[in-house]
């Protein structure tokens, strides 16, 4: 544990965490702006649907600020992230409906199928917050599948970099789980947060994914502005 920062995190690790939070918020704002510029309400709604995850990140920061001693903060972040994943999923379904005019029942059927296929066995366990975390993961994966469907059908909504950024979150989660194992089982730390090197390395992947989403959204704005300028000539 480094003494150069606050709580369990070193100063560089705090920079990484705060950067992740800022980048997600900026990405949300850029997507909302793009929806406003194009006059597409459903894109604006998607930008707003990113806000719950942004709010949840502040609970994670608060959790680390208290040296990981107030578990309720982490539990609340998981609950908010579940709502955030559902919001992203519903916003994506809304975009698909606007694009294809397809009945919502078909998307509901897809959601039900994916939820059933990916339902973890521990859903019936006693720890409700573990269940919330797993459910949130399944909902987010369902969102990613529909996001690919949307991108294939309508490339005017998101850039490929933005879509890749959302998918890169899966890499962040996978590496975090692996690093958690290394930190607690192999390196003898109580939690991943106590292993500043592995914790910061894992969190840097989330920073990369959020940056990809934001840069992709900015590219889409510039592309629209360039196309509009050419049409006015």
């Amino acid at each position: 544990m480094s003494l150069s920062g606050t709580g369990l995190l070193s100063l560089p690790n705090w920079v990484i965490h705060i950067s992740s939070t800022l980048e997600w918020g900026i990405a949300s704002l850029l997507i909302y702006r793009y929806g406003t510029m194009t006059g597409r309400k459903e894109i604006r709604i998607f930008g707003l649907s990113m806000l719950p995850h942004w709010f949840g990140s502040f609970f994670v920061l608060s959790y680390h600020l208290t040296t990981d001693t107030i578990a309720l903060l982490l539990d609340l972040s998981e609950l908010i992230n579940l709502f955030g994943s559902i919001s992203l999923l519903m916003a994506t379904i809304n975009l698909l409906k606007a694009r294809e005019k397809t009945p919502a029942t078909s998307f509901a059927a897809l959601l039900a199928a994916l939820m059933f296929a990916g339902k973890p066995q521990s859903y019936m366990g006693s720890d409700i917050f573990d269940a919330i975390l797993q459910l949130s993961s399944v909902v987010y994966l369902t969102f990613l599948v529909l996001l690919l469907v949307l991108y294939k059908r309508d490339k005017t909504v998101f850039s490929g970099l933005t879509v890749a950024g959302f998918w890169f979150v899966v890499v962040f989660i996978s590496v975090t789980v692996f690093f958690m194992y290394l930190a607690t089982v192999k390196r003898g730390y109580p939690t991943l947060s106590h292993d500043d090197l592995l914790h910061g390395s894992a969190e840097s992947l989330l920073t990369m994914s959020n940056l990809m989403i934001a840069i992709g959204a900015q590219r889409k704005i510039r592309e629209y502005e360039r196309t509009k300028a050419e049409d006015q000539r």
Side-chain angles (χ1 to χ4, degrees), residues 86-108:
I86 294 173
S87 297
L88 287 173
L89 176 60
M90 297 308 296
T92 305
I93 291 175
N94 188 47
L95 281 163
L96 281 166
K97 287 169 58 181
R99 174 66 178 84
E100 298 293 336
K101 304 299 182 183
T102 305
T105 52
S106 62
F107 297 111

Side-chain angles (χ1 to χ4, degrees), residues 65-184:
L65 191 61
T66 61
T67 64
D68 295 14
T69 56
I70 304 179
L72 178 61
L73 292 173
L74 192 60
D75 292 338
L76 288 174
S77 74
E78 292 175 0
L79 184 60
I80 293 173
N81 285 340
L82 170 59
F83 178 72
S85 295
I86 294 173
S87 297
L88 287 173
L89 176 60
M90 297 308 296
T92 305
I93 291 175
N94 188 47
L95 281 163
L96 281 166
K97 287 169 58 181
R99 174 66 178 84
E100 298 293 336
K101 304 299 182 183
T102 305
T105 52
S106 62
F107 297 111
L110 174 60
L111 172 60
L114 288 173
M115 290 286 288
F116 179 79
K119 185 177 180 180
Q121 295 297 320
S122 59
Y123 271 18
M124 301 304 294
S126 59
D127 192 337
I128 186 173
F129 287 106
D130 281 348
I132 289 174
L133 180 61
Q134 294 176 62
L135 178 60
S136 180
S137 298
V138 173
V139 174
Y140 188 82
L141 287 173
T142 308
F143 151 69
L144 290 179
V145 172
L146 293 186
L147 185 64
L148 279 181
V149 174
L150 173 65
Y151 180 69
K152 182 178 179 181
R153 295 180 180 179
D154 186 0
K155 291 182 172 57
T156 65
V157 180
F158 300 119
S159 71
L161 186 60
T162 292
V163 175
F166 281 114
W167 270 91
F168 198 74
V169 173
V170 177
V171 177
F172 156 70
I173 294 173
S174 301
V175 171
T176 298
V177 171
F178 177 63
F179 280 5
M180 189 180 301
Y181 167 77
L182 290 180
T184 58

